[in-house]
Amino acid sequence: MPQNAFHTVDVFATAKYAGNQLAVFEDADALSSDQMAALANETNFSETTFIEGGSPDDGYDVRIFTPDGEIPFAGHPTLGTAAVLREHFSAGDEVTLNLGVGPISVEVRSDGSDSEQYWMTQNAPEFGAELDRETLAEVLSLGAADFDADWPIQVVSTGLPAVMVPLRDRDALARSEVFTPAYRSFFDDVGVENLFLFCPDPRDDANDFAARMYAPGHGVAEDPATGSANGCFAGYLARHRYFDDEVEVTVEQGYEMGRPSHLHLEAEDRGDEVTVRVGGRVEFVSEGRLV
């Protein structure tokens, strides 16, 4: 095994040791796909990324793996890898990652304090099928009355599809639990692993929504902060005029896991296309080298 350097970071973190953990490996062109998959399984984070090369002008070639295999896009790995590239590769305040879904740009913004936020512009969301409450109720161990009937359950994708699931309140969010046999049947029918549950009932009045994300099909029972699904959510809010055709909200996620996370969302629906941006903080935790 090559002696690659690696870094761990917490993305969308409210503080160090919160948010979503990410391992970022350098010089990944020296690793085989099987070695990357094995390392992702070894770290057992929701995702692990591998920088294969690149430059500030041409972008950086990056691959993303869950414990279950490679995926074309994910949000917190995009922001966390951009932070590593900026801090350790002098990539600058605007970083482009060449991912499986194509180039994704990340910019750094001041959040008005001593810290900074990393923001990515995701691909325009694609809006898929609307699903029935009865099926999702069985998958999520909930009753039909736990869902917010004013808004659709819908598949949305900005590169990695997720099912947007509106719930009435945080009590329903807390009681949700994936029922594995129903989930497997659902995946066979719909073909989407990611289930993103949300409600307009946050713990903190400074936030707008509370959310949870289940992805057992990717080897992730629950995810503490999901940039890709929140990008889908931003597009969903804009398209369905939850507030208006412009969205600027903060989502809290990961509290049930003891990994509190804040994700900032922006979106505009101009009719022919929805523009989506997702931002948050990145905390550096550790670095090392393979032996």
Side-chain angles (χ1 to χ4, degrees), residues 33-105:
S33 295
D34 287 344
Q35 287 173 322
M36 293 182 199
L39 286 167
N41 191 57
E42 178 74 13
T43 64
N44 202 33
F45 294 161
S46 297
E47 282 97 12
T48 298
T49 63
F50 299 88
I51 303 170
E52 293 190 317
S55 68
D57 291 336
D58 298 327
Y60 294 87
D61 300 332
V62 176
R63 296 173 68 179
I64 304 173
F65 284 74
T66 73
D68 202 48
E70 187 170 9
I71 56 176
F73 174 68
H76 95 272
T78 300
L79 294 191
T81 305
V84 170
L85 287 165
R86 178 176 181 245
E87 294 297 322
H88 295 279
F89 288 74
S90 301
D93 290 343
E94 295 186 10
V95 185
T96 297
L97 273 60
N98 301 319
L99 304 176
V101 296
I104 298 294
S105 62

Side-chain angles (χ1 to χ4, degrees), residues 256-269:
E256 292 81 2
M257 304 175 67
R259 305 270 323 173
S261 310
H262 289 170
L263 301 96
H264 307 292
L265 316 184
E266 297 176 349
E268 299 93 30
D269 186 353

Side-chain angles (χ1 to χ4, degrees), residues 164-221:
M164 303 292 104
V165 184
L167 298 181
R168 293 178 61 88
D169 53 35
R170 194 153 28 92
D171 174 67
L173 191 70
R175 287 187 286 106
S176 65
E177 182 179 356
V178 172
F179 178 50
T180 300
Y183 175 85
R184 290 173 177 163
S185 177
F186 172 84
F187 175 71
D188 288 342
D189 291 340
V190 180
V192 178
E193 293 99 334
N194 297 338
L195 306 177
F196 183 82
L197 288 59
F198 67 90
C199 66
D201 183 20
R203 296 161 182 78
D204 187 338
D205 290 340
N207 301 327
D208 301 284
F209 293 95
R212 301 181 75 174
M213 224 287 290
Y214 300 111
H218 286 303
V220 180

